[in-house]
Amino acid sequence: MSQYLYLVRHGEHLDAEHGVSDGPLSPRGRRQAELLAARLGGVPLTNAWYAPSRSATETAQILSGLLPAVDPKPSALLFDCVPSGMTPDTPKAFESWFAAVTPAEVEAGRAQMADAISEFFVPGGHDRHDLLITHNFVIAWFVRHAMDAPNWRWLGLNQSHCGLTVIRVRPGRPPVLVAHNDLAHLPFELRTGLPETSPV
């Protein structure tokens, strides 16, 4: 039997273009969430969780309002975090970015993501379709894990606001990346969130 993880980055929040890390959804972010709900309308979602940040919470509220069968629950394991630090094989282009990250932040992020993998990558005896509304780095770490890539490889794996990533998990087999940052449900003007200058 298979478990499908539908990983979604929250909708765009107000002042996101100015580097603000969280806040209420912008009108564009609300529309992104509405279109994502339409995209997921035919998926037999089994469970749903969201990061307790404001942007992810409001995204979850929009989805549950448009998908009555979805009853999302908060999970602190889905908060944004830095899941690893510089390693000997990390490209030097990322050194300046990591200069602003403390060892305590890296350790907390590493522990959080280890718990998140144990919590959410759990295929059982029947098919499951689980929705996780979270943040960019969390999805990047899940994709890195699915591909069994080096720890640093979450860097540069970016997701747009309300982009859809799907991972299939089966007992005794490696995870399969079914789709990454799928934006088919969003018109061009709503495809926001990818960095333009940062190496991350």
Side-chain angles (χ1 to χ4, degrees):
M1 297 296 179
S2 296
Q3 176 199 25
Y4 290 89
L5 292 172
Y6 298 83
L7 308 174
V8 170
R9 185 182 180 190
H10 59 81
E12 180 192 66
H13 56 276
L14 292 172
D15 294 326
E17 67 271 22
H18 301 303
V20 177
S21 60
D22 193 25
L25 294 186
S26 66
R28 188 161 53 183
R30 298 187 67 82
R31 184 59 180 151
Q32 290 165 341
E34 291 167 354
L35 291 172
L36 175 65
R39 174 75 182 276
L40 294 173
V43 177
L45 293 172
T46 311
N47 303 290
W49 293 273
Y50 62 92
S53 61
R54 184 163 183 180
S55 54
T57 298
E58 291 190 5
T59 302
Q61 289 171 343
I62 291 171
L63 289 174
S64 63
L66 295 172
L67 300 171
V70 176
D71 181 23
K73 298 174 176 58
S75 172
L77 295 177
L78 298 177
F79 268 128
D80 209 6
C81 66
V82 178
S84 74
M86 283 292 294
T87 61
D89 57 342
T90 304
K92 293 189 180 298
F94 296 108
E95 282 183 340
S96 60
W97 186 85
F98 275 112
V101 180
T102 68
E105 288 175 310
V106 171
E107 184 55 36
R110 181 182 293 116
Q112 177 186 323
M113 286 298 92
D115 289 345
I117 294 296
S118 296
E119 178 73 18
F120 296 117
F121 281 68
V122 285
H126 58 279
D127 284 348
R128 287 172 45 194
H129 298 265
D130 297 337
L131 173 65
L132 277 60
I133 303 164
T134 181
H135 294 267
N136 192 35
F137 292 170
V138 174
I139 297 172
W141 186 259
F142 283 2
V143 171
R144 182 220 63 81
H145 173 77
M147 302 303 293
D148 196 24
N151 278 357
W152 69 267
R153 200 58 192 90
W154 64 275
L155 295 157
L157 293 175
N158 294 293
Q159 287 69 225
S160 297
H161 294 119
C162 286
L164 180 61
T165 294
V166 183
I167 295 174
R168 183 184 184 191
V169 184
R170 292 173 290 176
R173 300 185 185 185
V176 175
L177 182 63
V178 177
H180 178 248
N181 197 36
D182 186 342
L183 304 177
H185 51 290
L186 298 177
F188 181 79
E189 65 272 14
L190 293 182
R191 297 180 181 185
T192 63
L194 292 180
E196 296 180 359
T197 58
S198 167
V200 179

